Amino acid sequence: MNTLRRVSFILCVMVSFANYADEQLVIKLARPDYPLVQKNEYIHDVLEKSFAVMKVDATLLYNVKPMNDKRIVEQLTHNKAVTLAWLSLPGEIPDSLVRTTIPLYKGLHGKRLLIIREGDEATFHKVNNLGTLKQLIGLQQQSWYDYTVMKNNGLTVNGDLDYLGMIKALETGLGDYFPRSVLAIESELIKLKQFHLIIEPSLMLQYPSNYYFYLSKENQHIADLLEQGMQKLQRSGELERIYLHYFGDVEKRLKLKQRLTITLEKTALQ
């Protein structure tokens, strides 16, 4: 490479880096589809630090209306109200979407503990496999993916109620258990302290569930920035530190290794 070409190449790299370092993004996120959670602090931390390490100024904004996963995928596909979402989608990536490659929760989101009525511990102590669990009534909304998983595994599920309706059904005996993520169940119960509900002490439902960030193919540039940022955080150990900060004590506190695990097969999004 002659001197003139070398100088031109260096100038191009410098200009490209300058533009890249000054980049500003507005990232539109979907509001969670349940009333007690306003935002996901862990997700925000990962996003903010991933973009920051790439020297990108990213503003994270939530939409006003809550959306379930199906609606989020539709909005991502058309690149409208949602720029980016963290989802656990089965099978192949939809043709219209791209995703990052590093799992966000290390499979923790596929672990479910059961919210039950206080005093029903003896009933669940008799549950030792999928067959005995089928004799009890679970609660989930039909629009939630857990409902599909539970139904396709042969469990009895009432899916006709909204969130508060399920809580009231559980308290009054119209349902027996409400499976919730190990990542949310404790904070959920704190907000439901007026009800006589507890975490069932011995059981855990589990199915494969890895969450990734998804974006429209039209936002490939944003996906690339996020992927590179996450890779940098992983190499530096910062991604692991973020994870441990939020979830390091979950397994120990909830005694996940000591629980009887009932494995559910994961099924395609309907």
Side-chain angles (χ1 to χ4, degrees), residues 76-79 83 96-98 214-220:
L76 283 175
T77 297
H78 296 98
N79 195 25
T83 308
S96 59
L97 303 182
V98 293
Y214 283 84
L215 304 92
S216 165
K217 277 188 175 178
E218 295 179 24
N219 290 319
Q220 181 70 60

Side-chain angles (χ1 to χ4, degrees), residues 2-21:
N2 61 39
T3 302
L4 180 59
R5 291 178 60 191
R6 185 179 294 111
V7 171
S8 297
F9 173 77
I10 292 173
L11 287 174
C12 287
V13 171
M14 291 174 64
V15 170
S16 176
F17 178 78
N19 291 336
Y20 165 72

Side-chain angles (χ1 to χ4, degrees), residues 156-245:
T156 303
V157 191
N158 181 344
D160 297 328
L161 305 172
D162 62 15
Y163 183 87
L164 291 179
M166 287 188 286
I167 297 302
K168 291 177 181 178
L170 186 57
E171 188 182 43
T172 58
L174 296 178
D176 297 306
Y177 66 97
F178 184 18
R180 306 303 289 151
S181 166
V182 299
L183 304 177
I185 192 167
E186 292 175 297
S187 60
E188 224 169 318
L189 273 182
I190 290 173
K191 295 174 182 177
L192 297 171
K193 59 185 177 181
Q194 70 270 34
F195 301 96
H196 300 289
L197 305 174
I198 62 170
I199 300 175
E200 195 286 323
S202 62
L203 299 174
M204 180 169 69
L205 306 184
Q206 182 172 11
Y207 60 85
S209 179
N210 283 319
Y211 273 65
Y212 301 92
F213 289 122
Y214 283 84
L215 304 92
S216 165
K217 277 188 175 178
E218 295 179 24
N219 290 319
Q220 181 70 60
H221 174 57
I222 299 176
D224 290 342
L225 288 173
L226 181 55
E227 174 69 21
Q228 291 171 44
M230 291 181 71
Q231 293 288 350
K232 283 188 174 185
L233 293 183
Q234 186 176 63
R235 288 193 296 271
S236 70
E238 180 63 18
L239 200 59
E240 179 69 8
R241 285 190 287 272
I242 296 172
Y243 174 83
L244 291 176
H245 172 72

